[in-house]
Amino acid sequence: MRAVFFLAALASVLAVLLICLFLFGNGVPALLKIGIFKFLAGQEWAPSDVPPLFGILPMIAGSLYVTACALILGVPVGILTAVFLARVCPPRLYRFLKPGVDLLAGIPSVVYGFFGMAALVPHFHSSILSAGILLGVMILPTMAGIAESALRAVPEHYYEGALALGAGHYRAVFRVILPAARSGVLAAVVLGMGRAVGETMAVIMVAGNQARMPNSIFQGVRTLTANIVMEMGYAAELHRGALIATGVVLFVFILLVNLCLSALNRRIT
Amino acid sequence: MNVFDITDLNLWYGKFQALQNINMSASEAEITALIGPSGCGKSTLLKTLNRMNDLVPGCRVTGSVCLSGMDIYGNLNVNDLRKRVGMVFQKPNPFPMSVYDNIAFGPRTHGVKSRYALDEAVENSLKAAAIWDEVKDRLRKSALGLSGGQQQRLCIARALAVKPEVLLLDEPTSALDPISTGKIEELLLELKNDYSIIIVTHNMQQATRISDQTAFFLLGEMIEYDSTEKIFSMPQDKRTEDYVTGRFG
């Protein structure tokens, strides 16, 4: 019986291992062939030129800008949503609000993309801003859900202690409960960030996808994920390798973010 | 002078009546002990005095509780009330932040901003709670790293930092070892010169050691209220006698 559980646990580890093997096995040779510096810092992406240019700096910048934009918009709203759900909302409203927020998590990203095309692109064009706003909405349910459970896990006696000192409800919530839940809230932000960096379909539909260095948030931009999806269908040889290497960059990026989170958490506790 | 005058106080949790017709008063600069078996209503009464019972859904209060002549269930702002009536809980509950920020929380809540005033409030409160020497070198470290007894004295210091008139303590030593308990009792005896103290205790020796007045509660009723000496040496009520001599409870 134990073996069954062990195998089940092994499945996900095995999957991660296989993904690593595939990514690095296919991506690293291309990376070395292009040259790591040329690949990461190159500002030109022209795979059909002779000789081809494989610089992904515009896409790295694109992913960073779009993610930053999503976090700036999504993090405050997500945290305030969590605070409202966990500590302010009357129970009767909660019964409508909570499923509403959860439902947001279940909407397929292509539907978000349609929404963005219909509601955002007419105002902000296909741009960093459109993609950022859309992603800001998409990461809300993830962040609100995790931050809410972190807030609910804070022992009630902190709240009572704050009230007993003459603090009002909101002061107790924002100055005692929220700081007490900071490691969980931080985890929520990082997960939202992971979602924003990794999101593909919705971003492709509203970001414009031009492979060039953006110099304003009203310009179109191509993210790392978009780069892979848009060209994988016809890429061959070194071009294909370069796209997989783009995946390697994405993977390493997510890994770094998670490492930063655990380092931060260790410092807090 | 009385700090608290309680008149015809009744309290219900939903349909359950937890306090019945309580009439008592607590004097300034004295320690008043509330004793009685578990579930007798003594903690409930304590929480009525700073309106922490407001947090319990379905809690209903009739009668009047006056703090220096002002009805606390009337038009007194509840945050102002809690500033004037501090509370220390059964389980030490320092906030998960630094020692300094724990103490400064109260003054900051009530509008103290200057660095100098905060430093002074922190130092004075920690000194008043007899814990300054133990924490002065670690003011910036987390309060959760302190021992249970130190945490409880920190909570007393935190309550003192808002300069209350009354200090309510809900079995403050029940989670502590005898040495920490002794330190806190010593501290309370010192504090009673400046604050009126009302303490709920399970420990009858503790009541005799530190309190001036003692009230005995049973099943939501106040059975007897007199000087501590009288309650323990010649109680008027048979039930009080049975309890203080250890026949039940």
Side-chain angles (χ1 to χ4, degrees), chain B residues 4-208:
Chain B
F4 272 118
D5 288 297
I6 301 165
T7 321
D8 297 331
L9 178 72
N10 286 282
L11 182 144
W12 290 265
Y13 290 136
K15 290 219 168 85
F16 171 72
Q17 185 164 11
L19 292 175
Q20 297 179 25
N21 273 319
I22 309 290
N23 284 285
M24 71 179 284
S25 49
S27 314
E28 214 170 288
E30 280 195 333
I31 298 184
T32 307
L34 311 180
I35 64 167
S38 301
C40 69
K42 56 193 193 300
S43 285
T44 297
L45 177 63
L46 196 74
K47 284 192 216 151
T48 307
L49 301 181
N50 69 343
R51 293 188 54 179
M52 286 304 277
N53 272 333
D54 290 11
L55 296 183
V56 183
C59 174
R60 196 158 57 80
V61 177
T62 64
S64 86
V65 180
C66 289
L67 171 66
S68 311
M70 257 176 92
D71 188 356
I72 65 167
Y73 283 87
N75 41 21
L76 187 61
N77 177 302
V78 67
N79 295 336
D80 291 339
L81 167 71
R82 289 175 187 153
K83 180 182 182 302
R84 293 171 64 187
V85 183
M87 184 171 223
V88 174
F89 296 80
Q90 183 170 1
K91 209 172 138 233
N93 62 348
F95 303 135
M97 46 179 95
S98 73
V99 172
Y100 185 98
D101 288 337
N102 260 281
I103 308 294
F105 182 85
R108 280 179 179 144
T109 297
H110 300 290
V112 178
K113 285 203 178 73
S114 101
R115 189 59 205 275
Y116 174 76
L118 286 173
D119 285 353
E120 196 178 56
V122 168
E123 183 171 342
N124 290 343
S125 319
L126 288 169
K127 278 182 175 158
I131 191 181
W132 172 251
D133 288 330
E134 292 159 64
V135 300
K136 66 179 178 211
D137 298 321
R138 42 161 307 155
L139 291 176
R140 298 284 165 194
K141 297 218 175 106
S142 169
L144 300 185
L146 300 172
S147 75
Q150 287 173 324
Q151 288 189 6
Q152 195 62 303
R153 274 179 290 148
L154 181 82
C155 290
I156 294 176
R158 187 175 67 186
L160 296 181
V162 298
K163 303 199 172 83
E165 296 156 39
V166 190
L167 206 53
L168 308 175
L169 299 113
D170 189 2
E171 299 188 34
T173 60
S174 66
L176 304 180
D177 62 85
I179 293 173
S180 304
T181 300
K183 280 188 184 165
I184 288 192
E185 289 181 5
E186 222 173 281
L187 170 63
L188 294 179
L189 284 172
E190 218 153 278
L191 289 174
K192 80 165 186 176
N193 298 318
D194 301 311
Y195 305 91
S196 313
I197 294 174
I198 302 175
I199 179 171
V200 164
T201 178
H202 232 92
N203 179 334
M204 280 182 281
Q205 283 78 32
Q206 183 167 64
T208 55

Side-chain angles (χ1 to χ4, degrees), chain A residues 64-187:
Chain A
L64 289 181
Y65 285 143
V66 167
T67 303
C69 200
L71 290 180
I72 289 168
L73 296 171
V75 167
V77 180
I79 290 176
L80 289 178
T81 305
V83 167
F84 185 76
L85 289 175
R87 307 274 357 178
V88 182
C89 183
R92 286 175 62 183
L93 185 57
Y94 185 84
R95 264 182 304 178
F96 290 98
L97 218 55
K98 178 68 178 162
V101 175
D102 285 344
L103 208 61
L104 209 55
I107 297 173
S109 58
V110 67
V111 175
Y112 274 102
F114 272 133
F115 167 73
M117 286 173 89
L120 296 171
V121 173
H123 304 288
F124 309 110
H125 309 293
S126 293
S127 65
I128 295 179
L129 188 61
S130 294
I133 294 173
L134 193 60
L135 280 176
V137 177
M138 290 178 77
I139 63 177
L140 273 184
T142 321
M143 278 194 331
I146 293 167
E148 186 199 344
S149 28
L151 287 167
R152 285 193 187 278
V154 174
E156 198 59 20
H157 62 240
Y158 291 150
Y159 178 71
E160 289 171 4
L163 286 201
L165 290 166
H169 176 69
Y170 286 99
R171 187 170 169 85
V173 168
F174 282 100
R175 294 303 172 92
V176 175
I177 308 259
L178 195 57
R182 61 192 170 235
S183 74
V185 172
L186 211 64

